Amino acid sequence: MRAEAKRRHVDLLIVDSGDLHDGNGLTDGVPSNEIAGHRANEFHSRVKYDALAVGNHELYNYTIAKDTYDNFRPAQNGRYLASNVNITINGQSVPMGERYVKYTTELGRKVTSMGVLYEFTGQDKGLTVQKIADMVKESWFAEAIAEEPDFFLLPGHMPVRKDNWPVVVNAIRAKHPYTPILILGGHTHIRDCTTYDAYSVGLESGRYLETIGWLAVKSTAF
């Protein structure tokens, strides 16, 4: 796909919106002396994602969350996003991944990405999830959106409808009324798509890699 994108002279960004853990033999069918999902994470790391977000299934067990933090996160080269999720390491609460990341596509388009988890409350001890309304008031969020990119790419484990994506969109719109916002949501494990305004769209692509979602945006929008 990347070779074809290059041939067509278009940008191709590969994104995961969380819940790489649980639901299939790669994560669940492991020897009892191994951390569930560790080998599956090694497999997923070979994909070379452009942006990823943490899901709630990575947070039910602290040992699994820490393995994700220690091993999977570093393998993503700064693209594993956890904008509102913290993990306690050696008594200190730190971000589970990057709060945000800015990068440039192969064709020179500037991107700002954040990865948001819905307001999950079933996490194990040592893990915290911040409310979305509080997240958009953080100083890092203001720093993230201060400069206008060509588009915002927001992978996140949160349904594209009937949840808090409008809170994030509205916070960005207060600074950038017309910048395209591309949201790749999750959690409800359905195929869904919606728009928030004339310049923003949300896509949800199913579950357990049964579907690879495809969101195409014309370059004239930038």
Side-chain angles (χ1 to χ4, degrees):
M1 291 178 66
R2 285 192 169 101
E4 180 64 15
K6 190 171 184 178
R7 186 186 71 81
R8 297 189 182 196
H9 197 62
V10 296
D11 280 316
L12 174 68
L13 299 178
I14 299 178
V15 175
D16 184 84
S17 55
D19 272 9
L20 285 176
H21 191 278
D22 295 348
N24 62 74
L26 287 174
T27 57
D28 300 345
V30 297
S32 59
N33 63 335
E34 291 188 10
I35 297 173
H38 179 85
R39 294 195 186 189
N41 281 346
E42 291 178 339
F43 167 80
H44 287 300
S45 292
R46 299 177 65 181
V47 176
K48 296 182 180 178
Y49 291 97
D50 293 283
L52 309 92
V54 63
N56 61 296
H57 277 256
E58 286 78 66
L59 305 180
Y60 285 109
N61 182 292
Y62 178 83
T63 299
I64 291 169
K66 189 172 185 300
D67 181 66
T68 301
Y69 177 84
D70 288 340
N71 298 295
F72 185 67
R73 175 190 59 87
Q76 307 315 311
N77 299 312
R79 300 292 179 88
Y80 189 68
L81 298 158
S83 297
N84 63 325
V85 179
N86 273 31
I87 182 170
T88 300
I89 303 292
N90 297 325
Q92 182 178 3
S93 182
V94 298
M96 180 89 174
E98 305 299 323
R99 294 298 194 212
Y100 69 93
V101 62
K102 298 185 179 187
Y103 49 99
T104 303
T105 68
E106 288 192 7
L107 296 184
R109 296 187 177 98
K110 295 185 295 183
V111 187
T112 296
S113 286
M114 288 174 272
V116 186
L117 177 65
Y118 77 99
E119 295 179 1
F120 177 55
T121 59
Q123 68 271 18
D124 202 357
K125 293 180 180 179
L127 302 162
T128 59
V129 180
Q130 186 180 34
K131 291 184 179 297
I132 311 300
D134 293 332
M135 182 197 79
V136 299
K137 297 175 184 177
E138 295 283 356
S139 59
W140 69 257
F141 186 90
E143 179 183 280
I145 68 171
E147 180 185 6
E148 183 181 19
D150 289 307
F151 61 96
F152 289 91
L153 179 66
L154 308 181
H157 200 70
M158 182 160 64
V160 295
R161 296 177 195 258
K162 298 181 180 180
D163 215 296
N164 286 305
W165 279 120
V167 176
V168 183
V169 171
N170 291 340
I172 293 173
R173 285 287 173 254
K175 181 73 174 178
H176 305 294
Y178 308 113
T179 308
I181 301 174
L182 313 180
I183 291 172
L184 287 307
H187 182 58
T188 46
H189 299 298
I190 62 173
R191 301 170 188 173
D192 199 5
C193 186
T194 190
T195 57
Y196 307 99
D197 59 31
Y199 303 95
S200 60
V201 62
L203 177 70
E204 197 168 347
S205 303
R207 61 179 182 175
Y208 307 144
L209 295 178
E210 70 176 8
T211 305
I212 297 177
W214 179 266
L215 176 61
V217 182
K218 294 181 179 180
S219 60
T220 52
F222 307 137

